[in-house]
Every structure is written in C-alpha cells, then in structure tokens.
C-alpha cells in the first residue's frame, strides 16, 4: 500500500486526541513540571513553561520521529494541531521549535532529573507496576545504565569546545572531534518499555585523557565514571525499592 502522508497525519491526530487526556492524567506530567522546574525566562511570556515542556513531551509520546516531523504533522490540519495543543494545555497555536529549544537549553538538568524521578514515583504510587507485575520480574526493577552521545562538534564549529566543561575530546588518525555524553539510568521492563529516571552529563575533568581509546572503551569509561553517582542518587531517592542492575 502506498504511504499517504495526509492520511497518516490524520490517524496520528486521532490517536493524540483520544489518548492525550488519559496519558496526561496518568503520569501527571503537567503538575510535575510546574512543581519541579523553575522558569528561566524573564519579561513577557507567551507560552507557559509547562505547555512548552508538554509540547516537547508530545513529540516523544506520539512518536513523531523528529522535531521537524512533529511541527509539520502537528500543523497539517486544524484538527491535529488542536489535539496536540489540548495535550500541551495551549489555547493558541503550537509554539515553534526555536521557542522550545531556547527554553530547554536554559533548564537546570538536576530539575529535569527531579521530573524524571517524580514521574516514576507517580507511576509507582498509582499502582502501575503492581497492577502489571510482569514489568518487575521477581519483584525487582531492572536498571540499565547506558552512555549516549547527544552532541558532536569539530574544532571549526562555533561551539567553544576548549572552554566547554562538557566537551570530551576524541582523536583518531590525526582527526579531532568533541562529544557531549550523558549517562542515562532507566527502568527497563519486558515489552520494550523503558522509563528514564536519572541523567548524568559527563564532565571533561571526570574522564581524564581518554581521547584516543576505542569507541567501546570510551563508552565504558563514561558509564563507569557516572555509575557510583547515579547509584547513590537512586538509593537516596528510593531506599526501599529492590533493583537489579543489568550488565
């Protein structure tokens, strides 16, 4: 069957319209955003911080694929835009991607970690896991810790790599580049369900001279440097829960 973009977009908007209220109420994301995150903006504000974060979340929940696809499909029809706006709590048109990116770039990552922890705790207290015991085999929450590259820069880029505390220098065969790496701790459940609960950005000082090691070794060093910090944080926040760390 030939792929029909407009039909696909219509189907997506129907899904968003029918499920957005249920998803939002279950996870209480809007309430958590307003409680955990401080708005870094000053002066005149057109969109609330909660609505911008909810819009960014919609891109993931409704599996739009990319920011560009999200904004193209979201504005494909009045119905699709209204469905997404309803989920985000927006009465007007959807914000553009630059407005969202500017806010996300200025947020405190520890506040966003508090959001992740709060969402997990809300799901747990709402008996999401106890009502679906297959998600916690033998009563354990399976915890995966994985390093992910989020940015790549070359020396010629406008980003000041030498002064950036999160730029990790890499070198191979005379070629130099820089990476931003985050180590993500996630609850992993059967059925490909993954719930991130803590994100740790790797600081350049924490790795030392790891620029010329293999990609696999570099990834492992990032995960090892963050492991003790992440584990202590999770123990402090959830002292009574049983975790199984996946190797």
């Amino acid at each position: 069957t030939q792929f029909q973009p407009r039909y696909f977009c219509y189907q997506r908007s129907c899904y968003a319209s029918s499920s957005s209220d249920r998803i939002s109420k279950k996870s209480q994301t809007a309430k958590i955003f307003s409680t955990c995150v401080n708005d870094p903006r000053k002066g005149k504000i057109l969109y609330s911080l909660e609505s911008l974060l909810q819009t960014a979340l919609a891109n993931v929940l409704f599996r739009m694929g990319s920011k560009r696809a999200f904004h193209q499909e979201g504005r494909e029809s009045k119905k699709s835009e209204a469905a997404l706006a309803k989920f985000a709590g927006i009465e007007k048109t959807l914000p553009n991607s630059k407005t969202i990116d500017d806010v996300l770039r200025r947020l405190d990552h520890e506040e966003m970690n508090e959001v992740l922890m709060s969402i997990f705790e809300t799901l747990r207290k709402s008996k999401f896991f106890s009502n679906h015991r297959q998600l916690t085999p033998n009563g354990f929450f399976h915890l995966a810790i994985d390093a992910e590259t989020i940015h790549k820069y070359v020396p010629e880029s406008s980003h000041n790599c030498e002064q950036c505390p999160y730029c990790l220098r890499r070198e191979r065969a005379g070629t130099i580049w820089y990476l931003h790496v985050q180590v993500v701790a996630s609850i992993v459940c059967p059925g490909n369900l993954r719930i991130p609960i803590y994100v740790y950005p790797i600081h350049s000082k924490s790795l030392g001279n790891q620029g010329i090691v293999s990609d696999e070794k570099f990834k492992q060093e990032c995960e090892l440097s963050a492991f003790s910090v992440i584990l202590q944080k999770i123990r402090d926040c959830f002292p009574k829960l049983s975790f199984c760390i996946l190797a």
Side-chain angles (χ1 to χ4, degrees):
T1 304
Q2 186 176 3
F3 177 67
Q4 298 291 335
R6 290 185 179 276
Y7 176 73
F8 176 71
C9 189
Y10 172 75
Q11 291 288 86
R12 182 104 65 172
S13 68
C14 289
Y15 168 76
S17 179
S18 63
S19 61
S20 60
D21 286 341
R22 177 173 53 85
I23 295 173
S24 184
K25 290 178 181 178
K26 188 70 174 178
S27 61
Q28 299 182 30
T29 51
K31 180 180 178 180
I32 291 172
F33 286 144
S34 64
T35 303
C36 298
V37 185
N38 292 312
D39 197 332
R41 299 170 296 169
K42 304 295 182 182
K44 184 178 180 181
I45 296 175
L46 181 60
Y47 297 97
S48 69
L49 178 64
E50 296 79 24
S51 66
L52 293 177
L53 295 177
Q54 284 283 97
T55 304
L57 179 64
N59 188 13
V60 179
L61 287 180
F62 303 137
R63 300 182 181 181
M64 295 295 192
S66 67
K67 289 188 296 183
R68 181 177 180 181
F70 172 78
H71 287 280
Q72 285 181 338
E73 293 180 22
R75 293 177 171 84
E76 187 73 12
S77 68
K78 291 184 178 180
K79 183 174 182 179
S80 61
E81 183 167 12
L84 292 173
K86 180 181 179 182
F87 173 82
I90 297 173
E91 297 180 359
K92 304 174 183 178
T93 59
L94 291 173
N96 61 47
S97 59
K98 186 178 184 302
T99 300
I100 298 173
D101 289 344
D102 286 344
V103 170
L104 294 179
R105 193 178 297 112
R106 296 158 62 186
L107 295 179
D108 185 334
H109 82 273
E110 282 298 344
E111 290 182 348
M112 295 310 298
N113 277 329
E114 188 176 346
V115 168
L116 296 177
M117 294 279 196
S118 296
I119 289 176
F120 170 65
E121 184 69 356
T122 298
L123 290 173
R124 192 181 68 83
K125 288 184 175 180
S126 69
K127 299 184 178 180
F128 175 76
F129 296 102
S130 60
N131 290 338
H132 304 85
R133 295 193 179 277
Q134 68 273 19
L135 299 178
T136 52
N138 299 319
F140 286 89
F141 289 96
H142 286 186
L143 185 68
I145 297 178
D146 190 37
E148 301 178 0
T149 297
I150 60 171
H151 293 297
K152 179 179 179 179
Y153 301 103
V154 295
E156 297 78 20
S157 65
S158 59
H159 183 73
N160 192 342
C161 301
E162 293 294 337
Q163 297 298 321
C164 176
Y166 298 105
C167 270
L168 309 179
R169 191 177 190 270
R170 301 283 285 134
E171 182 178 354
R172 184 174 297 129
T175 301
I176 298 174
W177 68 98
Y178 297 84
L179 302 177
H180 280 199
V181 177
Q182 292 182 340
V183 178
V184 183
S186 303
I187 302 298
V188 179
C189 306
N192 296 321
L193 175 63
R194 177 172 171 168
I195 305 172
I197 60 173
Y198 196 81
V199 178
Y200 183 82
I202 299 298
H203 198 287
S204 58
K205 292 182 179 179
S206 65
L207 277 191
N209 186 19
Q210 297 293 334
I212 59 176
V213 300
S214 68
D215 291 343
E216 184 61 28
K217 177 69 174 177
F218 176 76
K219 184 175 184 292
Q220 290 176 355
E221 289 298 323
C222 289
E223 292 168 351
L224 287 173
S225 69
F227 183 80
S228 60
V229 177
I230 292 175
L231 197 60
Q232 187 61 54
K233 186 70 175 180
I234 292 175
R235 282 175 172 168
D236 290 343
C237 293
F238 309 110
K240 296 182 179 180
L241 297 186
S242 298
F243 292 93
C244 175
I245 300 175
L246 303 179

